[in-house]
Amino acid sequence: MKVPLGITTLHLSQRSTLLLLLAIGLLGFGGYDYVQQSQAVTNAVTVQATITDASVDRMEGGQGIDYEPEIQYTYQYQGETYTSDQVFPSTGIRTYSDRSMAESVVEAYEPGTTTRAYVSPAAPSDAFLIRERTPWPLRAIAVGGFLFLVGVLAGLGAKNPGKHELRPASEVQPAPRETWVDRHGETIHRLSKQVLGVCFVGFWLSMVALAFGLLNTTGEFGGPPQEIQAALLGPVGLPMIAGFSFWVGMIVSLCLYGVWSFTEYQQLRRRLPDPTPPSPFKHPSRLVTILGTEDGSLSEYGQRVRLTGWVFVIAVGMTAMIVYLLYTAS
């Protein structure tokens, strides 16, 4: 599909089109929810509410266990009585991965007590208790913006990058200077794969040990959730430290493998026929297109670019997960 865009044209595949639609949906919903929350926080008036029930709901999903503060209350506005269970001014629910954080929200609202609630005159039935925005809209906008950028870059890229045939190695002059990675390439390649395998297995074994440690601490799966005080070298703390170490080890091994793979890419690039195409690692639109291309339809050069790119993308993603977990835990 071709989409005119100013002085250029986007050449969108079916995959790129679906990606852009998803990105636009996230941007639209995130933007709408952000505006709604902003208006609710700005225009809300204060009313007295009576708490009728307050508890923490445990929610099990594909990404683990989350906890939602559930608070029900009644209030009056302009002579009408309303009932609400909305805590924040958001169209969605806000959950916490840590039960103690959800409990800290609920503790301030004992059943039978009165508290302050906020009502938007435009929607009097949608009161809320905490006058602050939830982070979900900005997260949706950030993810949508990233996906939109990827989709646009894929559409701007060359139609068939990474499919160039290579000249025979005998026709290419060797590199004028051999780097340390060139001299120890095979060792780096072998060690990075071995360390990655060991860390991958070690990480999942530590997760199994963590599950058993949690089982022994709480008594049984499905029992009443409780706060767990994890000793640093206890049955919960030690597997967590091991899992974190193995995760970091996987990131390091991926980076080492990526450095070796990038050196291999440079060697293959010297075998490209003239005129030499632009480097995908200096032109993101070409790199994104190659990353989204089936491996079997690429030449040896394109396959090396694709593998190198994905290795660094995965390493960056794993690093971002660590940063996010450390940030939320702080």
Side-chain angles (χ1 to χ4, degrees), residues 42-283:
T42 303
N43 302 328
V45 297
T46 304
V47 296
Q48 289 296 316
T50 301
I51 307 298
T52 57
D53 188 35
S55 62
V56 174
D57 184 30
R58 173 175 169 145
M59 305 172 63
E60 298 187 18
Q63 297 182 348
I65 300 175
D66 287 326
Y67 300 94
E68 178 194 359
E70 287 194 343
I71 304 172
Q72 295 183 353
Y73 51 95
T74 61
Y75 60 95
Q76 288 188 342
Y77 179 72
Q78 293 185 347
E80 295 287 337
T81 301
Y82 299 92
T83 299
S84 178
D85 60 359
Q86 194 166 320
V87 181
F88 296 94
S90 173
T91 55
I93 61 174
R94 181 171 183 175
T95 60
Y96 301 87
S97 57
D98 187 352
R99 180 179 176 84
S100 62
M101 295 181 66
E103 288 177 339
S104 66
V105 176
V106 173
E107 285 173 356
Y109 302 98
E110 290 289 337
T113 61
T114 58
T115 189
R116 181 183 300 171
Y118 302 93
V119 178
S120 173
S125 61
D126 296 329
F128 53 92
L129 296 175
I130 300 178
R131 198 172 189 174
E132 65 181 43
R133 302 179 185 90
T134 61
W136 152 246
L138 293 180
R139 292 176 184 174
I141 292 173
V143 174
F146 175 76
L147 295 179
F148 187 83
L149 177 62
V150 171
V152 170
L153 288 176
L156 290 175
K159 293 183 179 179
N160 297 306
K163 299 183 179 181
H164 305 84
E165 296 299 329
L166 300 174
R167 293 180 291 170
S170 58
E171 298 181 6
V172 180
Q173 293 292 332
R177 184 177 60 181
E178 191 177 36
T179 64
W180 184 88
V181 177
D182 291 327
R183 293 193 298 271
H184 301 87
E186 289 303 318
T187 302
I188 296 174
H189 180 217
R190 184 180 68 256
L191 287 179
S192 62
K193 293 177 68 174
Q194 291 174 350
V195 172
L196 179 61
V198 170
C199 290
F200 181 82
V201 174
F203 173 78
W204 287 110
L205 288 177
S206 64
M207 292 299 99
V208 172
L210 177 61
F212 278 104
L214 291 172
L215 175 63
N216 293 332
T217 303
T218 58
E220 60 176 356
F221 285 122
Q226 52 183 294
E227 186 176 353
I228 299 172
Q229 299 295 335
L232 187 62
L233 299 179
V236 174
L238 190 59
M240 291 179 65
I241 295 175
F244 178 83
S245 301
F246 285 127
W247 189 269
V248 173
M250 285 191 287
I251 295 175
V252 173
S253 60
L254 282 171
C255 291
L256 287 175
Y257 184 90
V259 170
W260 169 83
S261 186
F262 186 79
T263 303
E264 292 293 304
Y265 148 78
Q266 289 178 316
Q267 295 176 359
L268 292 175
R269 185 167 175 79
R270 287 195 290 269
R271 295 171 54 189
L272 290 173
D274 295 327
T276 305
S279 170
F281 294 101
K282 295 181 180 179
H283 294 76

Side-chain angles (χ1 to χ4, degrees), residues 263-322:
T263 303
E264 292 293 304
Y265 148 78
Q266 289 178 316
Q267 295 176 359
L268 292 175
R269 185 167 175 79
R270 287 195 290 269
R271 295 171 54 189
L272 290 173
D274 295 327
T276 305
S279 170
F281 294 101
K282 295 181 180 179
H283 294 76
S285 61
R286 301 180 71 90
L287 179 59
V288 168
T289 302
I290 293 176
L291 292 178
T293 304
E294 296 292 336
D295 195 57
S297 63
L298 297 172
S299 65
E300 183 183 359
Y301 167 78
Q303 291 175 7
R304 177 56 57 189
V305 172
R306 185 176 187 269
L307 177 60
T308 306
W310 274 118
V311 165
F312 284 116
V313 166
I314 293 172
V316 170
M318 294 177 67
T319 304
M321 291 181 64
I322 286 184

